Amino acid sequence: MSADEKDREHDTRTLEKAEEGGQTATGPQQKKIVIPGVIIIPIWMACSISVILYNKYVFTNLNFPYPVFLTTWHLFFSAIATRVLQRTTTLVDGAKDIEMTRDRWMKTILPIGALFSGSLILSNYAYLTLSVSFIQMLKAFNPVAILLISFAFKIQEPNGRLMAIVLMISVGCAMAAYGELNFEMFGFICQCAAIVFEASRLVMIQILLHGLKMDPIVSLHYYAPVCAAINLLIMPFIEGLEPLYNLHRVGILVLVSNAGIAFALNVAAVFLISVGSGLILTLAGVLKDILLISGSVLAFGSEITALQVLGYGIALGGLVTFRTTGGK
């Protein structure tokens, strides 16, 4: 849950909505809430890193290997939190600009929410067997998946620059995977599937919403209840009642703080997209990824080979090129 490709694509429209009253104070002369970049960027980075490391800690150190339950709890928490914010703050005012009919909900929110749910569950399942550092390296493949699906749906036409980016990131990720010392096929397949689900979700947003833009909080407001309901339907068939029997391993404090940090990441993302240029946000994202990989090495003793460092460096080069050129 972070502010990557989708947030960058929505920057301009989000700011326009904010000026019209989307994320502002009430009254004739509305003022947009802005937090300086030197403050919000470190906060966003800290939340993003903390969410991933905290989830890994819950799965491994606390021996609570139930990704579907944890994801469902996060979404249930977010569904309630966004509605509380809607009644007490202006952060969810962007929802007022969206006419959510039953037909639109069925054709857009439901299918996109299903992809979102699948992405979250599969990504969390990958953390059961793969290291945080390796998963983060694999996530660099996200732009390639987005481009390939965009090509398939004829949203974007392939050109020499895009194909060079695809090749660069693909080679880098392949080197990172080949150099992984503790490779697990199950986790690898889960993460690859999560990337496909997430890329498909972002492409479907472009196709189905037709310019209807949502910031991270408004997106959660609509998608969290849908995803939580979908997860509740499939959880009995995957994890059964085992998570409930083992809740004593984590405790209420860990559950609430874990979900709270995940939700705080989305709040930080709202303010993040209103500060700095695309280059600043891209560099902040790259620095966050490097710090996350370093943190996983320190926190969980993950081993990284020289081949992985080289491969990830190549993939990052392609990733930065993709984001700074707007994927054109």
Side-chain angles (χ1 to χ4, degrees):
M1 301 183 182
S2 61
D4 285 335
E5 289 84 7
K6 182 178 72 171
D7 294 334
R8 191 189 64 257
E9 293 166 1
H10 296 175
D11 281 356
T12 302
R13 294 293 183 87
T14 301
L15 290 175
E16 291 173 354
K17 285 181 178 292
E19 292 173 356
E20 297 168 359
Q23 295 163 10
T24 61
T26 57
Q29 297 295 328
Q30 296 180 331
K31 293 183 179 180
K32 181 177 61 177
I33 301 174
V34 177
I35 299 178
V38 293
I39 297 177
I40 193 59
I41 290 177
I43 291 176
W44 170 77
M45 291 172 61
C47 289
S48 183
I49 292 172
S50 298
V51 167
I52 295 175
L53 294 182
Y54 204 167
N55 286 352
K56 180 67 173 179
Y57 172 78
V58 170
F59 292 145
T60 57
N61 295 55
L62 297 184
N63 192 26
F64 193 76
Y66 306 110
V68 180
F69 175 86
L70 192 65
T71 302
T72 306
W73 163 240
H74 282 186
L75 293 166
F76 179 74
F77 184 97
S78 295
I80 294 177
T82 54
R83 279 147 184 81
V84 171
L85 289 182
Q86 186 180 34
R87 288 164 175 77
T88 58
T89 73
T90 59
L91 287 174
V92 198
D93 279 1
K96 296 178 181 178
D97 299 324
I98 301 173
E99 184 182 354
M100 189 54 65
T101 63
R102 177 183 176 85
D103 185 61
R104 172 174 281 176
W105 188 90
M106 291 294 295
K107 292 181 178 179
T108 60
I109 301 300
L110 184 58
I112 293 173
L115 289 172
F116 188 29
S117 179
S119 171
L120 293 174
I121 291 175
L122 289 165
S123 181
N124 278 331
Y125 258 106
Y127 284 104
L128 295 180
T129 54
L130 299 181
S131 67
V132 172
S133 57
F134 183 41
I135 290 175
Q136 206 60 30
M137 293 177 187
L138 292 178
K139 285 182 178 179
F141 195 76
N142 277 346
V144 172
I146 293 172
L147 286 174
L148 294 178
I149 295 174
S150 296
F151 295 159
F153 281 92
K154 300 187 183 302
I155 296 177
Q156 208 162 10
E157 293 296 328
N159 56 52
R161 174 180 288 182
L162 290 180
M163 296 312 297
I165 291 174
V166 167
L167 179 61
M168 190 174 181
I169 295 178
S170 299
V171 170
C173 289
M175 291 172 63
Y178 185 77
E180 173 64 18
L181 296 176
N182 300 301
F183 184 88
E184 291 285 345
M185 183 57 71
F186 174 76
F188 179 76
I189 292 175
C190 284
Q191 184 55 45
C192 290
I195 290 173
V196 172
F197 270 70
E198 178 62 10
S200 300
R201 181 181 75 90
L202 295 176
V203 172
M204 283 193 69
I205 286 175
Q206 296 181 48
I207 296 175
L208 297 179
L209 296 187
H210 299 295
L212 186 65
K213 305 305 180 181
M214 302 182 187
D215 65 45
I217 292 294
V218 175
S219 293
L220 268 184
H221 176 75
Y222 286 113
Y223 294 125
V226 176
C227 295
I230 293 173
N231 288 7
L232 282 174
L233 290 176
I234 66 176
M235 188 166 62
F237 302 99
I238 299 178
E239 297 174 353
L241 297 177
E242 286 299 311
L244 301 179
Y245 296 148
N246 293 286
L247 279 177
H248 63 277
R249 297 179 184 174
V250 291
I252 188 66
L253 180 60
V254 170
L255 284 176
V256 172
S257 60
N258 182 254
I261 294 175
F263 183 71
L265 173 61
N266 289 279
V267 175
V270 172
F271 295 102
L272 178 73
I273 60 178
S274 65
V275 300
S277 64
L279 178 59
I280 291 176
L281 298 183
T282 296
L283 294 178
V286 170
L287 177 59
K288 182 264 297 182
D289 292 341
I290 293 174
L291 290 175
L292 179 56
I293 292 174
S294 302
S296 70
V297 172
L298 296 175
F300 303 107
S302 305
E303 295 182 272
I304 299 177
T305 64
L307 182 61
Q308 284 184 295
V309 173
L310 177 60
Y312 187 56
I314 294 174
L316 276 184
L319 184 63
V320 170
T321 303
F322 174 79
R323 291 182 178 175
T324 53
T325 58
K328 301 297 183 182

